[in-house]
Amino acid sequence: MSACHDTDVMGASSAAGDTLVTLMARAAATIPDEPAFTFVDYAADSAGRRTTLSWSELDRHAGTMAGLLAEAGAAPGERVAVVSPQGPEYVIGFLGALRAGAIAVPLFPPTLPGHDEKLAAVLTDTRPACVLTTEPARAALEEFRASKRLSGRSRTVTAGLAELESRAADLPGAQEAVLVRPEDCAYLQYTSGSTRNPSGVEVTHASVVANCRQLITAYGIDRERNTFVSWLPLFHDMGLVVTVAVPVVSGAHSVITEPLAFVQEPVRWLHLLSAHPGAVTAAPNFAYDFCARRVKEEQRASLALQDVAVMINAAEPVRADTLDRFQQAFAACGMRPEMIRPSYGLAEATVFVSAPPIGSAPRVTAFDRESLGQGTARPVAADAEPGTFTELVACGRPVGQEVAIVDPTNCHGLADGAVGEIWVRGPNVARGYWRSPSRSAEIFAAVLAGDPDGEPSRGASSHTGTEEAGARRWMRTGDLGAMHDGQLYVTGRIKDLIIVDGTNHYPQDIESVAQEAHALIRYDHVAAFALTVDGTERLVIVAEHSRHVADPGREREAAERAVRDAVFFEHGLPVYDFVLAPPGTVPRTSSGKVARSACRQDYLAGTWSEPVGLNRAGAGGAE
């Protein structure tokens, strides 16, 4: 499958065997003194202390890190867990592991609240030869590993910039990269799935480079006019690829700060975008909403967003009201609708799948809610009654890969307008799940019914951004969507569907209605899920109350009534139970999404001590 340019962004010929390591070395040779990565540390200095590495420095440090890992026993093919705080050491550690021929495992420090069990599960699953961190973070890591009985065979390796400089001369062969095959696994990207059974996606050297080139094409990236700006966590697929991998492939400068800096002061992100003309950034939908709600009027006066090139909105459902709210909030700062690029992707495709055409404003389509619930995306008239339609934001077209909409029960391809499972194939698709051959075969080797070669059946919808068919097998995403007017609309996750009386309801739509129903409800901290009670699917909503309310109990009944009325009006669904939860108790994944399955488990386990209107015995016997 042809999915990349004949030449890369630095003008050199693209080779089939290119890897992030060879492309980093190429940048070090051709643009050695140009900035590669700049790290902005707001914890060290409220104005942001900057540390910049040139391409030659990055390549040299990655080589030294590879030597340190080899010295510590990380042989080619061994796993190296990157557990450093976000900063220069994280990027160097990740690239150094690849240079050593090891399989990198991008993770997070044990200090990330609420995710220690997942970290322990991943370290157990991967059995790394080395665990990379920084010296200041070492004590916390060692304490964590001891408490989880994970010390075992893994050696802890620490190396700050100063140590990398001092050790460069005394590590024989540190500058020689281990040769790897494009089909070899480069890193394991753990998804935001089950804590007990984490899924490590095997991303190959070939697939990550292919996906970077697809992304470069989709967003029109050019190193001479674009700079990447990000606060996304580097252990997240979008953060790792957009912030680290694409800059390496394109030769573009990447400016990075940490997630906490954004959460504390969201205007910092916008200041960095203002300071770098041609900025390219990416964030989930909640971040744009967060900025629109939290950045004050007086702070907006210092922003200049007119030269921002691309703002990718992805990793969770893109909401039309968020697009409107963000545009209204920052139009006076130079914000234009076409800067926002609603996109679709997932870790199993490395990260990127589809995006709207360059220069086009986001497309929002109102679909008949009843038809959508029955599996058909049918647009409504402009004067349709409120409550009868659902607005969905188009996520564009695939670039360098193919997308098909498929009936998940019989694997038949579906025509445009039909809602089905989104299937993807292309050179960017990962090769499988770590140590899970049966699940890998189920997800990564899907075949469309009636065609052993994997082509869509006659009359079915297949959309491609490639000139050749490429690999015949498809990857099942687990996401539902439809093609309409040549663009992909994502409707939700199969596993999260709430099915009542034969009609599909999407939890994110219910959550959106609930959080707007009453001021007591904390925005983006609502989970909607289903329980089977006496053989019937019932809707449960768990919503955190605002941190800014001194006595939430006084408004509890009013909030519950407002949520029940709003959900029934918009979706025709009675709420079986509504739980008003304390702030910080609705579970979230390590990438910040609401974890509905975990919330459901907590609900059944009685996590919230004062549920409203629940017959605990009845619900506890469900399923």
Side-chain angles (χ1 to χ4, degrees), residues 416-582:
D416 282 12
V419 176
E421 185 179 11
I422 302 168
W423 288 19
V424 177
R425 69 177 175 186
N428 55 298
V429 172
R431 73 180 189 185
Y433 293 113
W434 175 251
R435 301 201 313 168
S436 185
S438 59
R439 186 157 180 254
S440 295
E442 176 190 355
I443 301 301
F444 290 91
V447 178
L448 284 163
D451 193 334
D453 291 328
E455 292 296 332
S457 56
R458 188 179 302 274
S461 170
S462 174
H463 295 258
T464 176
T466 66
E467 295 177 0
E468 302 172 26
R472 307 319 317 157
R473 296 299 183 260
W474 294 82
M475 182 267 291
R476 303 183 65 154
T477 68
D479 291 321
L480 291 170
M483 298 299 301
H484 172 70
D485 280 349
Q487 295 213 35
L488 175 65
Y489 290 80
V490 182
T491 59
R493 293 284 292 166
I494 293 175
K495 68 177 184 179
D496 289 337
L497 268 183
I498 297 170
I499 306 174
V500 178
D501 296 331
T503 298
N504 297 335
H505 299 271
Y506 297 98
Q508 67 271 18
D509 295 335
I510 296 170
E511 290 158 1
S512 178
V513 170
Q515 70 189 10
E516 297 285 358
H518 196 280
L520 184 64
I521 308 300
R522 189 179 179 199
Y523 212 81
D524 280 328
H525 289 75
V526 180
F529 52 88
L531 292 178
T532 301
V533 180
D534 297 330
T536 303
E537 287 280 284
R538 302 294 189 188
L539 171 64
V540 175
I541 296 175
V542 178
E544 292 183 12
H545 64 72
S546 171
R547 292 184 182 273
H548 307 294
V549 178
D551 183 10
R554 293 181 60 186
E555 298 182 67
R556 183 183 192 130
E557 290 187 7
E560 179 187 359
R561 187 166 54 251
V563 168
R564 289 179 180 275
D565 289 349
V567 171
F568 189 82
F569 175 78
E570 291 287 343
H571 294 275
L573 282 175
V575 177
Y576 174 69
D577 190 36
F578 172 80
V579 175
L580 189 65

Side-chain angles (χ1 to χ4, degrees), residues 22 42 146 223 233 273 358 400 429 468 482 536 539 598:
T22 63
Y42 290 99
R223 74 170 185 85
L273 293 175
I358 295 173
V429 172
E468 302 172 26
T536 303
L539 171 64

Side-chain angles (χ1 to χ4, degrees), residues 186-326:
Y187 61 94
L188 299 177
Q189 182 67 61
Y190 276 81
T191 62
S192 303
S194 167
T195 297
R196 295 179 182 175
N197 300 295
S199 297
V201 177
E202 297 183 357
V203 180
T204 67
H205 291 277
S207 58
V208 65
V209 171
N211 201 225
C212 288
R213 287 176 170 149
Q214 293 163 349
L215 195 148
I216 288 166
T217 299
Y219 301 111
I221 307 300
D222 185 303
R223 74 170 185 85
E224 294 186 353
R225 66 170 180 262
N226 295 122
T227 298
F228 290 89
V229 173
S230 180
W231 54 266
L232 291 174
L234 297 180
F235 59 80
H236 186 260
D237 53 359
M238 189 160 70
L240 184 68
V241 174
V242 175
T243 308
V244 178
V246 174
V248 169
V249 173
S250 65
H253 182 202
S254 183
V255 178
I256 305 171
T257 190
E258 60 177 343
L260 185 59
F262 166 74
V263 173
Q264 291 174 334
E265 291 286 347
V267 74
R268 289 167 170 166
W269 178 36
L270 304 181
H271 276 145
L272 289 175
L273 293 175
S274 299
H276 295 279
V280 176
T281 194
N285 189 80
F286 89 84
Y288 295 95
D289 224 3
F290 191 57
C291 285
R293 293 174 182 274
R294 293 295 185 89
V295 177
K296 300 174 182 176
E297 190 67 37
E298 57 270 24
Q299 292 176 313
R300 297 174 191 174
S302 62
L303 300 176
L305 301 176
Q306 67 275 5
D307 293 324
V308 172
V310 176
M311 302 182 81
I312 301 169
N313 187 333
E316 63 184 21
V318 181
R319 304 201 65 85
D321 57 347
T322 298
L323 300 180
D324 291 340
R325 192 176 295 117
F326 190 83

Side-chain angles (χ1 to χ4, degrees), residues 337-397:
E338 64 270 19
M339 292 176 179
I340 297 279
R341 305 289 296 283
S343 304
Y344 171 68
L346 66 165
E348 287 81 352
T350 301
V351 70
F352 168 78
V353 172
S354 67
I358 295 173
S360 62
R363 180 187 295 181
V364 178
T365 304
F367 294 103
D368 181 78
R369 180 168 290 159
E370 183 176 350
S371 297
L372 200 62
Q374 297 297 328
T376 301
R378 180 175 65 81
V380 299
D383 58 352
E385 289 291 326
T388 65
F389 60 85
T390 295
E391 288 189 326
L392 296 179
V393 180
C395 290
R397 306 182 180 107

Side-chain angles (χ1 to χ4, degrees), residues 50 78 146 156 158 288 445 473 490:
R50 292 174 174 253
E78 294 270 15
T156 300
T158 64
Y288 295 95
R473 296 299 183 260
V490 182

